[in-house]
Amino acid sequence: MRIALAGMFTLLFSATSVLASEAELILPDLRSVKFFGDRVDGWSLLVWGLVICAFGIVFGVVQYNRIKQMKVHKSMLEISELIYGTCKTYLLTQGKFIIILWILVGIIIAVYFNGLRKMDGSKVAIILACSLIGIMGSYTVAWFGMRINTFANSRSAFSSLQGKPFPVYEIPLKSGMSIGMLLVSIELFVMLCILLFIPKDYAGPCFIGFAIGESLGASVLRIAGGVFTKIADIGSDLMKIVFNIKEDDARNPGVIADCTGDNAGDSVGPTADGFETYGVTGVALITFILLAVKDPAVQVQLLVWIFVMRLIMIITSAVSYWLNAAVAKARFAGADKMNFETPLLSLVWLTSFISIGLTYLVSWLVIPTLGDGSMWWKFASIITCGTIAGALIPELVNMFTAVKSAYVQNIVNASRKGGAPLTILAGFCAGNFSAYWMGLTILGLMAIAYGVSTVGLDALMIAPSVFAFGLVAFGFLSMGPVTIAVDSFGPVADNAQSVYELSLIETIPNIKADIKKEFGFEPNFDKAKGYLEEADGAGNTFKATAKPVLIGTAVVGATTMIFSIIIILTQGLKPELLANLSILHPPFLLGLMAGGAIIYWFTAASTQAVSTGAYHAVKFIKDNIKLEGATKASSEDSNKVVEICTKFAQKGMINLFLVVFFSTLAFACLDPYFFIGYLISIALFGLYQAIFMANAGGAWDNAKKYVEVDLREKGTPLHAATVVGDTVGDPFKDTSSVSMNPIIKFSTLFGVLAIELALVLSRKVDIVLAVVFFVISAFFVARSFYGMRITEED
């Protein structure tokens, strides 16, 4: 491998010419255009955006401190701090691995910009620094999300003892909003700083570097977290069948690892993924504007408008959250019973309505004279298509995964007489039906956006339909903080239930009197357990809502980024070269086939990592669990399970990432049009595979929850069948499906550099490198099974 890389770098340094590309993107002068009746120029307007970003960051920090200061019993606090300790160890381990991978990617970036583009070393250093900032951004918000969620889990568990459901809803959502606001605000702050303060002649490459960095960080944290959490979850869940014990039995040494996994997979992963998604989508739109729009004045107007719209989402989400919180408190604060999904859905719809209204209003204020004077409402209408998708998707997810939905009830009914086989088949049906309906929904909204793009947008830019698709992805994210918030509700609610059980609070002598004396209320244990289980069911549903949103933006946003590669290949969309982007051109068709192969390999390899790790975790737990004469598992046994999960998450991540890395290089060198087909294919195959797997897994999970909570049939054959279904669904919904989003975006972003590196080399050299890189990737493909399989010796 080292010889191959060294050979490649030598060839790159000797190259003398290259086509125009992202390296030559030059930002227009933002001060050259004024807004709001010539009262403020674009640069000054966006500087005020930094204040809004600061507001979002302060909002997140204030909520963090409020949750930290909430009262909690020491028995629950000890458990949440133990979970945090194991999460911290895990995250530090992943941080070291990310740096190693960054060195590999950083070498490619440095060789490209310094060796090929002859860019000054100081400028290259800034680009590399931006890529590090991207990694640090993903990593920092992931750490913040993990820390606040481990505060919120014990506070939510303790609040349930008051005998009212409202605090069990309020605390996880407050934690989620803190993460969402901070995440979007930090990401936007960094992008504004690049736009405003880095010289315009290399701000474009800095955006690319930043996006690659955050995509790299998100890929590692999302994939490794997904593998870790499902190893732990399966290892813990299967003990319910083997030993007929309760879900979070403190004697089970796998439960702490499961709680750690809830944060590694459902908090750290999605938070880093969300940070990357907002950044990459923004970079894709910026790149398109600079490549497809020729008039600098129009470029400025569109860039300022894009960023103003992104700033509005922070305000919209905060206002919607406050309004919804007031209504929810008035309705449910004193109630003894509540549907936890009701206020979460109302928050999503309220935010979408306010977002749509402000999208039209602010567009009219910022770009009223753009083009022929009608562009403001056309662009607003296109974004609205994405905003509607962001609101409809949770409803559709609810249809297929909610505890009492017809699809989940179908799984339960099939399981009652058919056992685990029919449980699995019914879940497959739910996932496939969901892919059909969600696919048509996204298709329909993109078709509307395309229709609007045909009415005059071609006067401003080339390929307006591509810009329209990018704006749809942008609209998906217009409720950003709220989307992250309802997703983060899930891991807190899940952990809260575990913290309650692991604390053994009911068995503490004189606990009722102590709580009455110290906290001023008498605990109601029976109601508390019921509320926590119901909140967990709602969390399962809303954890599933963000997944199609994020994968949808990956696919639609990738379309915009792929366009920049097409511009390079076709030398500005020359018709004779565009003909190569057709199934009549064999390399393009073969590329489409290659992308599908990679998606199915990725599904298999990520699931194999979970299966093998879970096997070793289960084996250890079965050999070491002590049910007689013990109240809880030893810390040594719990730490050993965490160690097993970390080990196999790391091994799986190495294989998965390096195959994607070297496949991208191999296919870019093989043929540029093959590579375009490949990128399009992984986006489309990935979309449907991810939706199917995410919703099938969510349906299996809530079928089990319905049997446990509503039917109260734990320990029955019906329960055992749904536990098997949930076990199958675990890597579906929380490993393979969710990891496709960062993989699609990383392949596309890194592909921008890879294709340009390939274009400067001779055809003969390209073929040699393609073979070398493919052999390396094939080695790790084989290793992802043969190096991870379960053998007789195990």
Side-chain angles (χ1 to χ4, degrees), residues 616-637:
H616 287 274
V618 167
K619 183 175 183 293
F620 177 84
I621 295 170
K622 287 175 68 177
D623 291 344
N624 292 275
I625 192 170
K626 297 176 180 65
L627 299 178
E628 301 295 333
T631 57
K632 62 172 62 177
S634 69
S635 59
E636 292 81 10
D637 287 346

Side-chain angles (χ1 to χ4, degrees), residues 59 63 148-149 152 169-184 266-267 270-271 274 278 317-318 320-321 324 340 343-345 347-348 351 479-493 538-539 541-546 550:
F59 181 101
Q63 295 284 65
I148 191 172
N149 281 352
Y169 149 81
E170 184 183 35
I171 294 171
L173 184 61
K174 184 176 292 186
S175 173
M177 276 302 297
S178 175
I179 297 169
M181 291 290 282
L182 187 98
L183 178 156
V184 173
D266 294 334
S267 177
T271 304
Y278 291 96
S317 295
S320 300
Y321 170 71
N324 192 73
F340 289 94
L344 294 173
L345 279 173
L347 174 60
V348 171
T351 309
M479 302 184 293
V482 167
T483 300
I484 297 297
V486 297
D487 177 70
S488 295
F489 183 96
V492 176
T541 300
F542 279 88
K543 275 193 299 186
T545 60
L550 293 177

Side-chain angles (χ1 to χ4, degrees), residues 496-562:
Q497 186 179 9
S498 301
V499 167
Y500 181 96
E501 297 290 352
L502 290 169
S503 70
L504 301 175
I505 194 168
E506 296 179 46
T507 66
I508 299 174
N510 303 316
I511 185 62
K512 287 190 175 182
D514 289 346
I515 290 177
K516 177 73 173 176
K517 179 180 179 181
E518 185 177 355
F519 299 101
F521 67 89
E522 187 168 327
N524 188 322
F525 296 119
D526 291 332
K527 284 188 174 181
K529 287 185 285 189
Y531 294 146
L532 291 171
E533 287 185 327
E534 290 175 22
D536 186 24
N540 287 339
T541 300
F542 279 88
K543 275 193 299 186
T545 60
K547 294 168 186 174
V549 171
L550 293 177
I551 189 64
T553 60
V555 173
V556 182
T559 303
T560 312
M561 187 60 73
I562 290 169

